[in-house]
């Protein structure tokens, strides 16, 4: 057998990628249709399986990862953005349940994003702190320290200041060296 026909000398083929080809970004129409389908899918699943969330973990349709996630994104973010549902946070970050809202007055059902982040911070505090050392007062004290370090915005700052918002030059600065001292 000649070296050219030897199996060792044969060029190796590039390994095939197991990842599917990149998908183009979904159009507005696709997103709208998928949203309607997902909302109905979630509502149907919650009514058909009321015990699905009994342990505190959310009901997630089995079709979500393959069908809906490529178009609508992560399940929790979709549910949070949808006014048809509200999230009831559990005692751990991964534990939450999805509740169907009445659709009439959703302003009470929607938790502001900062409050969700505060709940996550509390959960992280509980994770990182031993049970014997946990104290709500310590957590609140740290929160107050953060607000004092960053400063509280004043209610009057929303009004337009005189001078059109331009910076003013300071006529006399005592700490800065004068131009004559720099030349010498």
């Amino acid at each position: 057998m000649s070296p050219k026909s030897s199996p060792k000398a044969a060029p190796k083929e590039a390994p095939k990628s197991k990842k599917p080809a990149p998908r183009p970004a979904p159009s507005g129409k696709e997103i709208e249709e998928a949203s309607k389908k997902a909302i109905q899918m979630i509502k149907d699943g919650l009514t058909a399986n009321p015990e699905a969330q009994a342990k505190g973990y959310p009901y997630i349709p089995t079709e979500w990862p393959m069908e809906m996630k490529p178009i609508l994104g992560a399940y929790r973010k979709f549910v949070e953005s949808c006014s048809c549902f509200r999230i009831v946070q559990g005692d751990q970050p991964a534990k939450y349940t999805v509740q169907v809202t009445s659709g009439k007055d959703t302003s009470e059902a929607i938790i502001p994003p900062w409050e969700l982040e505060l709940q996550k911070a509390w959960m992280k505090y509980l994770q990182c702190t031993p049970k014997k050392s946990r104290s709500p007062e310590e957590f609140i004290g740290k929160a107050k320290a953060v607000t004092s370090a960053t400063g509280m915005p004043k209610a009057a700052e929303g009004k337009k200041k005189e001078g059109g918002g331009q910076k003013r030059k300071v006529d006399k600065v005592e700490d800065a060296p004068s131009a004559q001292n720099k030349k010498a």
Side-chain angles (χ1 to χ4, degrees):
M1 200 181 248
S2 70
K4 289 185 179 179
S5 62
S6 168
K8 290 183 178 178
K12 294 182 180 179
E13 293 181 21
K16 293 181 182 178
S17 176
K18 293 183 182 182
K19 292 183 181 179
R23 181 184 168 142
S27 67
K29 185 178 180 182
E30 280 183 312
I31 293 172
E32 186 178 332
E33 289 173 4
S35 293
K36 288 179 182 177
K37 183 178 176 184
I39 290 169
Q40 194 58 47
M41 187 186 313
I42 296 167
K43 283 182 178 180
D44 292 345
L46 289 172
T47 54
N49 304 316
E51 69 283 344
Q53 302 184 108
K55 293 184 179 179
Y57 291 101
Y59 166 76
I60 301 175
T62 55
E63 302 89 0
W64 188 269
M66 296 304 291
E67 291 180 30
M68 300 296 161
K69 188 173 182 179
I71 300 169
L72 301 174
Y75 179 71
R76 181 170 179 148
K77 286 188 179 184
F78 172 76
V79 173
E80 285 176 343
S81 69
C82 185
S83 64
C84 301
F85 306 106
R86 70 182 179 102
I87 290 183
V88 177
Q89 185 64 47
D91 59 347
Q92 297 176 4
K95 284 191 170 187
Y96 63 93
T97 57
V98 178
Q99 308 293 321
V100 179
T101 60
S102 63
K104 294 176 184 173
D105 183 20
T106 58
S107 62
E108 285 184 30
I110 297 174
I111 298 172
W114 68 267
E115 194 172 326
L116 289 173
E117 293 299 321
L118 182 63
Q119 288 176 353
K120 289 178 188 176
W122 173 250
M123 293 298 153
K124 192 65 173 177
Y125 171 79
L126 293 176
Q127 277 183 333
C128 296
T129 309
K131 282 187 177 184
K132 293 179 181 179
S133 303
R134 295 178 188 167
S135 166
E137 290 80 20
E138 179 187 15
F139 182 80
I140 292 169
K142 294 291 182 183
K144 287 181 179 180
V146 168
T147 58
S148 65
T150 58
M152 291 289 297
K154 296 179 184 174
E157 283 184 359
K159 297 179 182 179
K160 190 173 181 180
K161 295 180 182 179
E162 292 181 28
Q166 297 176 353
K167 293 182 179 178
R168 289 183 268 159
K169 290 185 178 179
V170 179
D171 292 335
K172 191 174 185 181
V173 178
E174 294 178 21
D175 293 338
S178 66
Q180 293 175 350
N181 291 344
K182 286 184 181 178
K183 291 180 182 178

